[in-house]
Every structure is written in C-alpha cells, then in structure tokens.
Amino acid sequence: MLVKAYGAYAADKPLESLEIRRRATGAHDVQIDIAYCGICHSDLHQVRSEWEGTQYPCVPGHEIVGRVAAVGDHVQGFKPGDLVGVGCIVDSCKHCAECADGFENYCDGMVGTYNGATADEPGWTLGGYTQKIVVHERYVLRVSHPAEQLAAVAPLLCAGITTYSPLRHWNAGPGKKVGVVGIGGLGHMGIKLAHAMGAHVVAFTTSESKRDAARELGADDVVVSRNPDEMAAHLQSFDFILDTVAAPHDLDAFLALLKRDGAMTLVGAPATPHPSPNVFNFIMKRRSLAGSMIGGIPETQEMLDFCARHGIVADIEMVRADEINAAYERMLKGDVKYRFVIDNATLAG
Ligand SMILES: [Zn+2]
Ligand SMILES: [Zn+2]
C-alpha cells in the first residue's frame, strides 16, 4: 500500500513530502496507523549522511506511536485499535544469544527502523515520518498510558529506553547517588527516570540558565560543570553517572566524581572521539567506564510500563510535517524543550 511520508532524496536536500510503499500485513505482522513520531538527533545524522551508508530516499523516525490498524492471522498479542509503539528496532535474527536473552539491540542482525536492510521496497527500512508502518509483532510495544498522552509517549521509544536501560543495569534506585550529564532530549528523560527509580539525582549542565528547569524535571541538585568549585563539592560521591552528551568532552572531570566501584555510562555518540581519560581515574577507585545502546524489546516494554505507572512522559513540542526542516535547525541549536514530536496527521497535507 502507498502512504504519505516525509523524507529526503539526498544528504544535502531538505526533507519533503513523498510517497512510500508498505508491505502487505504478513501472518506475524502488525499494521500501525502512526499518530505521532518523535524527532531524534539520530534522524538528523542519518538523513544528512553524517554517519556513513545512508540510502535515499531516507525516511527517518524511530519514536513511533499509534493505533493498530490490522494484524496478521498468527498475531495474538495485539488487535485493531490497541495503542502501540515502535522504537529503534524492527527486526533481528531471532535466534542468537542476544535475541534469546531479549537484547535484540545487541544482535549482529539487528535491523534499524530506518536505513536497515530489508526485503521490503525499496531495499532498506523507512521510518516513522509516515502514515503507516508494518512491523513483526515481536518488535511492537504495548502503550498503557492514557490516549491523550500519546504524543508525549513517542520519545520514550528512543530517548526513554536509551536512558532507562543503563540506569537499570547499574542499579539506580533508593540510596544511590546518580548523576545525569546533559539536559537535552536524552538527559531530561534520564533525570525523570532516575528520580522515579528513587535515586538522589544530580543534573550536570554547562548553562546556568538550565538550573531551574533541571529541578523541575526531578533533579535534587544541579551542578554547572564549568564551575570547578561546584564540581569539587561532589568529588568521589557518585554511585553512577549517565553521560548523555554527544559532543567530545573531558571525561576525567566526571570520572573523578565517582566513588569506589562507581561507574559512568556513555550514551551519546560523538562524531569525533572524546579526549582519552586518565587511566589513574579507573585504577585509584576501581571505577568503570561503560557504554549502552538503546535497549532490548522486553526492557523497552518494562520501561513503558514503568513510565505509565509513574505518569512519566517526555516534555515535547509538537510540529507539523512541513516544520520538520525548521525543527532540525532549532534542534542543532539546542532550542527545544526537550523533544520535537511530529503530528503525523499533518502528513496528509
Ligand atoms: Zn533515537
Ligand atoms: Zn539475534
């Protein structure tokens, strides 16, 4: 079936209205009418081919929410009308150790929601800036938030799980002091989630102007990381630090804030490497530096259920399809609180 979409024909072209074809709904497929799609920084990197290998036309979008329109004969977990979400993964090998453990995000055969290999036309996956998507039931998530919150649920599918997964893995919770570096699309979710998990949350920002906003998101304390005195007051005190900043920066300044056995996880993907951290910062207090990439399907469902129970959604600004290019420019300037979400009803023109 042909549906309207928004995408780009080349790296140096703006996104524009186009039509794409979706496959027929197979026995294990769920066909979804997309209501909203979040705009993630990855969308911009991919559509502008700043990471290698973008194929065109490129239709980005992996923070997808909507309602089930139809299901295949063998689908039992979903029915038409259900509120559902699709995140960064639409397929994987389904039989490796990672898939068996529910970590499809670490499967070597993981297929991204856009620009991933597929037998579907045109040969690569096309994302959520469109009216419909057809996805194998394994990669479809159940949304139990109230329907009127649906647009603000969309960013949970990437920004939410990307921060939830490392917070859970490193046991953020009551009695733990957790830092969140960067207060953007990812960081604002990290603060909300760590707060809801019961941790003592300290937000790190380079801008004095974000102090109040960070507290409103749930931070117990806010540190302006450019202020050495403020940083020094937190030396050797953190159990865990979640670093969401994609720009290259000094990791040592944050490693020094970890207490013995503390860990810092990086979730931002810098275009050029961070300066190498000082090995002594690891040796001296048995500290760890780790990374994390989105999350598996079972933990994404767990995250959505956790957010529904705790009333957590993203802070969003809704845009029309014809405002996507302008939204990209504003995102590059950090001019968004904290996530743009596309109203996919506006794709129809
Ligand atoms: Zn994303
Ligand atoms: Zn696999």
Side-chain angles (χ1 to χ4, degrees):
M1 97 203 85
L2 278 174
V3 295
K4 294 232 196 272
Y6 229 74
Y9 285 104
D12 58 354
K13 291 273 189 332
L15 281 76
E16 60 186 285
S17 181
L18 45 90
E19 282 198 331
I20 61 168
R21 195 174 294 280
R22 289 304 191 189
R23 69 174 183 246
T25 308
H28 285 281
D29 282 341
V30 178
Q31 183 200 120
I32 300 162
D33 285 328
I34 303 176
Y36 306 101
C37 183
I39 297 180
C40 173
H41 239 106
S42 306
D43 299 355
L44 188 152
H45 290 306
Q46 196 87 67
V47 82
R48 294 185 176 178
S49 203
E50 290 167 359
W51 298 337
E52 280 175 26
T54 301
Q55 294 181 279
Y56 296 92
C58 173
V59 174
H62 58 204
E63 295 183 337
I64 298 167
V65 289
R67 282 188 190 276
V68 174
V71 298
D73 292 344
H74 293 179
V75 174
Q76 296 190 322
F78 300 97
K79 60 180 189 314
D82 286 352
L83 288 181
V84 293
V86 175
C88 306
I89 309 169
V90 290
D91 205 358
S92 64
C93 86
K94 307 188 184 76
H95 44 69
C96 71
E98 308 295 359
C99 286
D101 288 346
F103 289 107
E104 298 88 347
N105 51 319
Y106 298 123
C107 169
D108 291 333
M110 191 264 265
V111 177
T113 302
Y114 54 83
N115 204 50
T118 176
D120 295 355
E121 279 185 53
W124 54 93
T125 53
L126 301 168
Y129 296 7
T130 177
Q131 294 174 310
K132 277 181 186 283
I133 192 167
V134 178
V135 180
H136 187 286
E137 59 179 329
R138 176 173 178 151
Y139 309 94
V140 179
L141 288 311
R142 185 166 296 287
V143 173
S144 50
H145 287 74
E148 54 279 15
Q149 291 186 321
L150 193 59
V153 168
L156 301 181
L157 276 307
C158 175
I161 185 60
T162 296
T163 49
Y164 180 89
S165 180
L167 286 168
R168 284 275 295 169
H169 180 72
W170 294 97
N171 301 311
K176 297 292 179 70
K177 184 172 172 182
V178 170
V180 177
V181 184
I183 309 172
L186 292 174
H188 100 286
M189 286 311 311
I191 294 169
K192 289 185 185 211
L193 292 166
H195 174 74
M197 288 172 183
H200 179 86
V201 184
V202 179
F204 292 90
T205 176
T206 51
S207 52
E208 185 67 43
S209 62
K210 287 196 177 173
R211 220 182 262 279
D212 292 341
R215 284 191 186 277
E216 280 164 30
L217 292 168
D220 298 287
D221 204 350
V222 186
V223 171
V224 174
S225 56
R226 287 188 173 136
N227 183 327
D229 293 339
E230 280 189 56
M231 291 291 274
H234 291 270
L235 281 171
Q236 300 181 16
S237 68
F238 282 88
D239 295 282
F240 179 66
I241 295 176
L242 177 66
D243 187 338
T244 71
V245 176
H249 61 282
D250 174 23
L251 302 180
D252 284 314
F254 295 103
L255 288 167
L257 305 188
L258 295 172
K259 63 186 190 190
R260 173 176 52 82
D261 291 331
M264 177 156 91
T265 290
L266 309 177
V267 292
T272 55
H274 297 296
S276 286
N278 184 339
V279 173
F280 282 96
N281 270 328
F282 304 107
I283 294 172
M284 296 305 285
K285 294 281 176 185
R286 202 165 61 183
R287 295 167 175 132
S288 302
L289 179 62
S292 184
M293 185 183 75
I294 47 176
I297 297 299
E299 66 177 342
T300 304
Q301 187 62 64
E302 180 189 298
M303 176 276 304
L304 284 172
D305 295 345
F306 176 89
C307 288
R309 273 202 311 283
H310 290 270
I312 296 174
V313 291
D315 289 14
I316 64 160
E317 183 177 333
M318 194 98 78
V319 293
R320 298 172 43 85
D322 57 16
E323 294 171 326
I324 293 171
N325 292 302
Y328 277 14
E329 294 311 312
R330 284 186 51 198
M331 188 164 64
L332 281 172
K333 289 185 237 151
D335 176 24
V336 52
K337 282 186 176 167
Y338 289 90
R339 206 63 148 176
F340 288 114
V341 172
I342 301 161
D343 177 357
N344 287 43
T346 63
L347 286 161

